[in-house]
Structures are given as C-alpha cells and as structure tokens.
Amino acid sequence: DARVTQTPRHKVTEMGQEVTMRCQPILGHNTVFWYRQTMMQGLELLAYFRNRAPLDDSGMPKDRFSAEMPDATLATLKIQPSEPRDSAVYFCASGPGQGMREQYFGPGTRLTVT
Amino acid sequence: GQQLNQSPQSMFIQEGEDVSMNCTSSSIFNTWLWYKQDPGEGPVLLIALYKAGELTSNGRLTAQFGITRKDSFLNISASIPSDVGIYFCAGQWIRNTGKLIFGQGTTLQVKP
C-alpha cells in the first residue's frame, strides 16, 4: 500500500532554531506539494515541485522558509530561524502524471515553536 | 483571489442518518476533490470529479460536480460512527498546475 511518509511526526523547538521536515513521496509520483494547516487559515499551499524542479513557492515566507528536492525520493522543508507563529501541522502530498489532478497526503509533521 | 465556501461548518447527526455537505466557488473549477481527515492524520482522498455534471460514488459516499462548475456536493448515506472526521472539498482551477484550493472543512460527528 503506497503512502507518502513524513518525518518527524512531531517536533518541539525553541524560537530561533532551525527545523527540517522530510517527505518521501509515493514512488513514481513526480509532483510534490508542501502544505501548512492551522485552525485559523486551514490548509495553505506553501510550495510545489514537478520532476524535482520548484514550480511555485509563492505561498512560502521567503526569508525563513526553503524547500528542496535533493532527489526523487526526498523532499525537504526547512525553517530558519523558526518563530512561534510557524507552529502548525505541515503536510507533504504527492501526485502522479503531468496532468496531475489528485494529491495524496502524508500524515504530517506537527511543529510547535516555543 | 479564489475562495471556496464550504458548508455546513459542522454537523452532529444520529447514526444511520444521511449527510449532505457542499462547496461553492467564486470561480470555475476544472476538478473537484473530496477529502476526509481523521485526527492526527493527513487528508485522505475520497472522490475525484473531472467533468461538469459528473456524479461519482465510493461506497456510501456520492459526490457531484455542479453544472456551473462552481459547486460540488458530497452525500454520505446511512452514516456510521467511523464517518466521524473533517471533510474537505478542494478545487483545481487551472489544469496541469496541480494547485488546489481547499474549503474550510465540515466537521462531522455521529452519535451511535
């Protein structure tokens, strides 16, 4: 049963620290998305990649957030320095094909910045 | 910007009852997706709709892509306790970009 995996599942850190979240997309999927979920804003798209190339990161605060795909099996989202307002659940999702319409979500990383 | 209005925000129903929720958009969508999210988990895709007027079922779930392409609904028949969760609609407005716009979710509670 192919699934998107994310690590860590939970992260508590102090303000100012660097946070790195990892995602392994479903094998064969060529589109990867990063979302943030909060009670106030719901699900927000931060960035996405197709064939490892970043296509859109307009939803991401550029000064502190960065997203990369070092290879087809790994996507990373980094926050440096972290702030309390970054506390949220971060989801990675992947999708198949060029005309991709469906996205399959991972279990998320719950981040708490104190 | 584009917005999705999902209603109702929450529902509390008796086991066995049917449920209906819907989403409306200020813009035309090419794709509608319905997801369910359980506590502590990511959203799980339930149904995908690709054509205006399309009606698709997945077990007790039925969803339709509105004719105007600006709305969609999800029905759950004969609800059971495991239907509890948050249901999200999502629309894709430009083919091939993959960007989804999500509704705010409908929280469903089922009383046994």
Side-chain angles (χ1 to χ4, degrees), chain B residues 55-95:
Chain B
L55 186 70
T56 298
S57 293
N58 177 6
R60 294 178 295 105
L61 278 61
T62 301
Q64 185 160 29
F65 193 139
I67 290 292
T68 65
R69 296 167 66 190
K70 291 186 177 182
D71 62 340
S72 177
F73 72 75
L74 175 70
N75 285 344
I76 305 173
S77 62
S79 58
I80 59 178
S82 62
D83 290 334
V84 165
I86 304 177
Y87 292 80
F88 291 96
C89 63
Q92 184 185 62
W93 66 287
I94 294 179
R95 205 175 297 242

Side-chain angles (χ1 to χ4, degrees), chain B residues 2-77:
Chain B
Q2 301 191 320
Q3 294 185 341
L4 275 188
N5 293 314
Q6 185 171 349
S7 65
Q9 279 191 323
S10 62
M11 303 181 75
F12 190 89
I13 63 170
Q14 198 77 30
E15 182 178 0
E17 290 183 354
D18 295 344
V19 173
S20 185
M21 60 192 78
N22 68 83
C23 275
T24 58
S25 166
S26 57
S27 302
I28 289 173
F29 283 144
N30 291 321
T31 301
W32 282 97
L33 305 175
W34 284 93
Y35 287 87
K36 181 192 178 197
Q37 186 174 20
D38 291 326
E41 299 296 328
V44 174
L45 183 63
L46 299 173
I47 293 179
L49 303 160
Y50 303 118
K51 293 183 193 176
E54 181 180 356
L55 186 70
T56 298
S57 293
N58 177 6
R60 294 178 295 105
L61 278 61
T62 301
Q64 185 160 29
F65 193 139
I67 290 292
T68 65
R69 296 167 66 190
K70 291 186 177 182
D71 62 340
S72 177
F73 72 75
L74 175 70
N75 285 344
I76 305 173
S77 62

